[in-house]
Amino acid sequence: AEEKEKQEKETKYNNSIMTSVPYPAFALSSPVAGALSAVGKCRVYPEPSIIGSSMTDAEREYRAVVEKAVEQSNVTSSSSGDKSKEKESKQLRKQFMKEGNAMASRYLSNTLGLDPSIADIEIVISSADVLQSDGCVAACFLDAGCHAIVLPNGTDLTALDTCQLPRDRVVAHFNDTQTKNTESLLQLLLAAAPLASTMSLAFPLGTN
């Protein structure tokens, strides 16, 4: 019964993310597990444990990158006008940025086995992480070599805007519940278009 419940969760999760893209998408397996050494383009879902499985070392490493980006965003400028404190804040923010970029680069190259100089990597980052880090986590992964950031909820315009990235480096994704009604979907796509140049759509398996 427990195994059946897990399979049902995996099927539901697959349905929510199943996207017609002409390149590999890694959700329940890593590029390393799939023996991916070089490819023109791929999409990575760094946190598949939302289906109920335990967190992997790779996911912990990804969460560490997010936490570092949040640290960076929490460094605030001095409101007292003290130039020395202002300089100190800028240096600390720059330090966290460099540390985060290095961690993200190791995650992509060493843990996932991807070469950003060869593969155009899309990485899926939750709206919550983008907002909590004030967009720093999105910039971090782009600096580490990712080609684009995928927001899994294309209706979250605040998160799309918070990325503060060129629209050609942002992908707005719409899940299976958002793609059922063609008319409302068109309105969602039009709303996201000024912030993301690419849209990806998930449809439940078995739909025509």
Side-chain angles (χ1 to χ4, degrees):
E2 185 175 332
E3 182 63 27
K4 183 179 179 181
E5 183 180 354
K6 183 180 178 181
Q7 289 178 350
E8 288 176 351
K9 286 183 178 179
E10 288 186 2
T11 299
K12 185 177 180 181
Y13 180 67
N14 278 327
N15 285 351
S16 71
I17 66 170
M18 188 59 64
T19 310
S20 296
V21 290
Y23 45 87
F26 299 93
L28 300 177
S29 62
S30 71
V32 169
L36 175 66
S37 57
V39 68
K41 195 170 188 177
C42 68
R43 177 175 296 186
V44 176
Y45 291 79
E47 295 187 290
S49 65
I50 59 172
I51 63 172
S53 60
S54 57
M55 186 176 286
T56 65
D57 289 341
E59 290 173 87
R60 292 189 187 92
E61 188 176 351
Y62 170 76
R63 291 310 311 169
V65 177
V66 174
E67 289 165 8
K68 183 60 66 175
V70 172
E71 279 189 273
Q72 178 190 342
S73 70
N74 286 338
V75 177
T76 57
S77 301
S78 174
S79 59
S80 63
D82 189 321
K83 291 185 178 180
S84 63
K85 288 186 177 180
E86 182 70 24
K87 183 178 179 180
E88 187 177 304
S89 295
K90 286 183 178 180
Q91 290 177 336
L92 185 58
R93 188 177 177 89
K94 188 175 182 179
Q95 175 189 326
F96 286 151
M97 181 184 69
K98 286 184 175 180
E99 290 174 355
N101 291 350
M103 292 165 66
S105 182
R106 286 195 298 271
Y107 169 76
L108 294 172
S109 300
N110 299 345
T111 304
L112 299 186
L114 293 170
D115 186 346
S117 68
I118 297 175
D120 286 342
I121 305 166
E122 294 180 350
I123 188 164
V124 180
I125 301 178
S126 72
S127 294
D129 287 340
V130 168
L131 294 171
Q132 189 178 10
S133 68
D134 195 27
C136 290
V137 68
C140 175
F141 275 101
L142 280 195
D143 289 342
C146 284
H147 174 72
I149 304 302
V150 182
L151 271 293
N153 181 4
T155 64
D156 193 337
L157 301 182
T158 301
L160 287 170
D161 186 52
T162 300
C163 284
Q164 293 295 303
L165 299 174
R167 60 188 296 272
D168 63 342
R169 307 300 291 276
V170 180
V171 179
H173 179 74
F174 297 88
N175 62 40
D176 57 335
T177 60
Q178 297 164 336
T179 57
K180 290 180 179 179
N181 186 298
T182 305
E183 186 175 339
S184 62
L185 175 60
L186 177 59
Q187 298 304 314
L188 295 177
L189 296 176
L190 290 173
L195 300 169
S197 65
T198 303
M199 315 291 170
S200 65
L201 312 177
F203 293 95
L205 294 177
T207 58
N208 295 321

